[in-house]
Amino acid sequence: MDHEVYRYDDRTVIIRQGLHTNFEAPFLYLLLGSERALLLDTGTGHVLLRPLIDSLLDGRQLVVAHTHAHGDHIGGDGEFDEVVGLTPAEVAAYFGLNDWPEGVAQFDLGDRVLDILPIPGHHASHIAVYDGETRLLFTGDSLYPGRLYVQDWNAFRASVSRLAAFVAAGNPVEWMLGAHIELTDRPGEDYPMGATVHPDEHELRLAPAVLAELHAVLGPEPARIVRDHFIVYPV
Ligand SMILES: [Zn+2]
Ligand SMILES: [Zn+2]
């Protein structure tokens, strides 16, 4: 199997591109509403994705968007018809985020309204997606059990602060789901870069306390910070 497919519930599908297909082994998310479906990321492009997605849509119209525009998350875009653009301006325009990177936009899939928040720092066009129905927060490459590569420190710090404030303002999170796993199940221990086997992986999900922890440990100056469930990694 080139993808692992896990149904979190009947309208939330977690898809992982197999580690044997590419060392990045990214996670993709398919969120189904009554009218539309949102596919968040398309993987590295080393394997066909559309047949799997089509088999899960049940007649819904598909929109493809991205947590951010790095190559390991947009590689399958060419297989799809309606794909949101990759620049911050295009992402902002599509979702109606008129004050990027401030603000929150709503995106309605039909009986399922998602909140979209700009969180640049790892990448300029990065967004987080919050689903109030499941209380899942999709954090892409900005927060996952692995190396959080920070390209723009000040932007990243501000984004984590806004995201923490959004959660505190009455948007409770059950779990955060990111786009990779690069840690073992031992505290703060990562696999070598490019590893194609991951014995004893950390679990995908992160508890909301980990967002508060990230917020608390980010200081004004770029620094590598090793914690149990993530490694901040300035680049
Ligand atoms: Zn990335
Ligand atoms: Zn990535």
Side-chain angles (χ1 to χ4, degrees):
M1 292 293 286
D2 289 338
H3 296 95
E4 290 174 60
V5 179
Y6 174 78
R7 278 192 178 263
Y8 182 83
D9 62 25
D10 58 0
R11 302 208 296 175
T12 307
V13 188
I14 301 174
I15 300 164
R16 188 184 202 182
Q17 189 180 322
L19 196 54
H20 65 279
T21 70
N22 184 271
F23 73 92
E24 296 282 10
F27 288 84
L28 328 176
Y29 299 96
L30 182 67
L31 307 179
L32 305 167
S34 60
E35 293 159 22
R36 295 194 287 179
L38 176 67
L39 175 63
L40 202 53
D41 293 347
T42 62
T44 70
H46 291 87
V47 288
L48 267 185
L49 176 62
R50 182 153 180 178
L52 169 64
I53 301 302
D54 282 349
S55 75
L56 297 165
L57 286 177
D58 206 10
R60 296 173 182 87
Q61 180 206 344
L62 178 67
V63 173
V64 178
H66 312 93
T67 58
H68 66 296
H70 280 150
D72 52 322
H73 305 273
I74 64 170
D77 280 14
E79 297 179 61
F80 297 96
D81 304 319
E82 187 176 347
V83 182
V84 177
L86 301 179
T87 67
E90 289 171 309
V91 175
Y94 184 83
F95 290 111
L97 288 156
N98 301 316
D99 196 21
W100 184 281
E102 306 288 331
V104 181
Q106 276 71 49
F107 189 64
D108 192 352
L109 301 174
D111 303 313
R112 188 176 195 178
V113 180
L114 306 174
D115 291 298
I116 313 290
L117 294 83
I119 53 166
H122 168 78
H123 181 277
S125 62
H126 207 304
I127 57 170
V129 176
Y130 175 71
D131 177 22
E133 180 180 290
T134 55
R135 300 185 168 186
L136 293 174
L137 179 63
F138 300 93
T139 49
D141 277 8
S142 293
L143 184 50
Y144 64 91
R147 294 178 290 267
L148 312 181
Y149 296 106
V150 181
Q151 186 228 329
D152 181 332
W153 186 267
N154 289 334
F156 186 74
R157 198 165 168 239
S159 291
V160 169
S161 182
R162 285 195 311 276
L163 194 54
F166 170 82
V167 173
N171 298 291
V173 171
E174 184 85 18
W175 300 111
M176 301 187 294
L177 300 176
H180 301 279
I181 298 173
E182 294 163 352
L183 293 186
T184 73
D185 59 6
R186 293 173 291 280
E189 180 186 296
D190 56 343
Y191 299 107
M193 287 193 198
T196 54
V197 290
H198 284 188
D200 304 326
E201 266 192 334
H202 191 292
E203 61 181 1
L204 168 65
R205 65 186 187 175
L206 291 175
V210 177
L211 175 61
E213 180 182 352
L214 177 62
H215 184 217
V217 300
L218 290 176
E221 297 300 326
R224 191 185 300 193
I225 303 165
V226 180
R227 306 290 295 187
D228 286 1
H229 301 292
F230 59 83
I231 299 172
V232 179
Y233 207 103
V235 290

